[in-house]
Amino acid sequence: MKRCIFLVTCYLFSSLSYAQCENDPQILGASYKIQQIDLKTGKPLAGLRGEQRLNFWRNHEQVLYEYQDQKISEKWNQLSNQQVRLVRYFDDFQRGIEYQPTEINHGQGEHNWGSKFQIIDPMFIKRLTLTKQTGHDCDLLSHYQQRLLPSNNANKETAQTVQLTWSAVYQLPTYFSIKNNGILMQWQLLKLNKNPSRVQQVIHSKQNYKLTDYSDIGDNESDPFLAKMINQGFVDHHESGFYDSQG
């Protein structure tokens, strides 16, 4: 009974928080700076591993990740059967490759929509310890941290130290970092875009790209674009490197 009361209270609080906000958290954009820093030198790693910019766009049952430096975008859709479909866009070529749900994650499909919708898997967040909350209403932020040991506890030196600042209203991280093996990986929110027209414009801007079904690539390897993508390792059963419940 107490659990039911707690869940109802959380639901009412969540609904109230959303109602107080002028913008729909289901439709928004967010810009991030992603860095990997060598803790010994205090400097970013070389190349794209060191620093990247990501634009994230959400419109209800679809999200778009724009990797600005790589000029590659990924759109994830949740289908009516709860499966997730991927389209990978190559912006320089205005081309795209469409993956059916069973063609993702080595044929196992992708069922964790939460990790796409809010960047960080909700189950991963549950493993963290809430240390404090700051702000209020739409600006309420929850601060988490945790030292996560390997699943087998065999080598404590490989433990990950995690810090997360989370906006429950917008269901996005404003700061996220992991220290592991002498490397600090961190995401820093630079800007929120709460203009629905702008969000929809960006997502729809790729609808005129020429798409190729992943299953048809074998019959079209003479296509110069596809041949180049295969050689560069972009065409595979790729799953984006976002954190799941295991980190």
Side-chain angles (χ1 to χ4, degrees):
M1 181 66 179
K2 289 182 178 180
R3 179 172 175 81
C4 291
I5 293 173
F6 173 76
L7 290 175
V8 170
T9 302
C10 288
Y11 173 78
L12 291 175
F13 175 78
S14 176
S15 299
L16 178 61
S17 296
Y18 291 163
Q20 290 174 341
C21 299
E22 297 179 358
N23 306 98
D24 184 353
Q26 300 284 319
I27 308 176
L28 56 75
S31 298
Y32 289 91
K33 179 171 69 174
I34 306 171
Q35 290 183 304
Q36 292 193 70
I37 298 172
D38 185 333
L39 293 176
K40 289 183 179 180
T41 65
K43 296 180 179 179
L45 301 182
L48 289 178
R49 292 183 62 200
E51 182 170 321
Q52 298 185 54
R53 297 299 175 101
L54 167 71
N55 289 332
F56 170 84
W57 306 92
R58 174 197 293 160
N59 186 10
H60 295 285
E61 302 305 315
Q62 58 183 345
V63 294
L64 179 71
Y65 290 78
E66 289 187 309
Y67 301 95
Q68 291 182 284
D69 302 281
Q70 296 170 302
K71 298 184 179 179
I72 294 174
S73 303
E74 293 184 336
K75 183 172 73 174
W76 299 87
N77 289 81
Q78 185 181 42
L79 306 178
S80 58
N81 61 4
Q82 306 305 306
Q83 290 185 312
V84 180
R85 183 178 63 183
L86 166 66
V87 180
R88 182 174 292 116
Y89 298 106
F90 299 88
D91 298 313
D92 275 348
F93 301 91
Q94 295 194 0
R95 297 282 300 270
I97 298 173
E98 186 172 11
Y99 297 78
Q100 295 305 314
T102 56
E103 295 169 341
I104 303 171
N105 194 17
H106 304 284
Q108 299 179 28
E110 173 57 67
H111 306 283
N112 191 346
W113 172 244
S115 66
K116 305 297 183 283
F117 182 84
Q118 60 178 47
I119 298 179
I120 300 177
D121 187 342
M123 296 303 296
F124 181 79
I125 298 176
K126 288 183 178 180
R127 298 175 63 195
L128 309 180
T129 299
L130 178 64
T131 58
K132 64 179 179 178
Q133 291 184 314
T134 57
H136 54 84
D137 298 332
C138 298
D139 297 321
L140 178 66
L141 296 175
S142 298
H143 302 261
Y144 297 88
Q145 65 181 23
Q146 194 70 40
R147 189 169 184 262
L148 301 177
L149 295 173
S151 57
N152 58 7
N153 277 342
N155 185 359
K156 293 185 178 181
E157 292 182 0
T158 62
Q160 298 177 334
T161 301
V162 178
Q163 289 189 325
L164 170 65
T165 305
W166 181 257
S167 169
V169 171
Y170 295 111
Q171 295 176 274
L172 284 175
T174 63
Y175 177 80
F176 177 52
S177 72
I178 290 183
K179 291 181 182 179
N180 188 27
N181 290 329
I183 301 296
L184 170 65
M185 186 280 295
Q186 61 182 8
W187 290 50
Q188 179 68 58
L189 177 67
L190 301 178
K191 180 181 179 181
L192 274 178
N193 191 318
K194 305 174 186 178
N195 185 334
S197 297
R198 175 58 179 163
V199 175
Q200 294 171 7
Q201 177 189 15
V202 172
I203 292 178
H204 294 155
S205 67
K206 304 177 191 300
Q207 64 184 0
N208 293 324
Y209 283 19
K210 180 182 177 180
L211 298 183
T212 301
D213 289 337
Y214 175 76
S215 59
D216 294 334
I217 288 177
D219 298 326
N220 294 277
E221 290 185 1
S222 59
D223 182 322
F225 162 74
L226 294 175
K228 183 174 183 177
M229 295 303 103
I230 292 171
N231 290 335
Q232 293 183 359
F234 285 114
V235 179
D236 57 15
H237 294 281
H238 174 75
E239 181 183 19
S240 290
F242 307 121
Y243 280 80
D244 60 18
S245 61
Q246 301 304 312

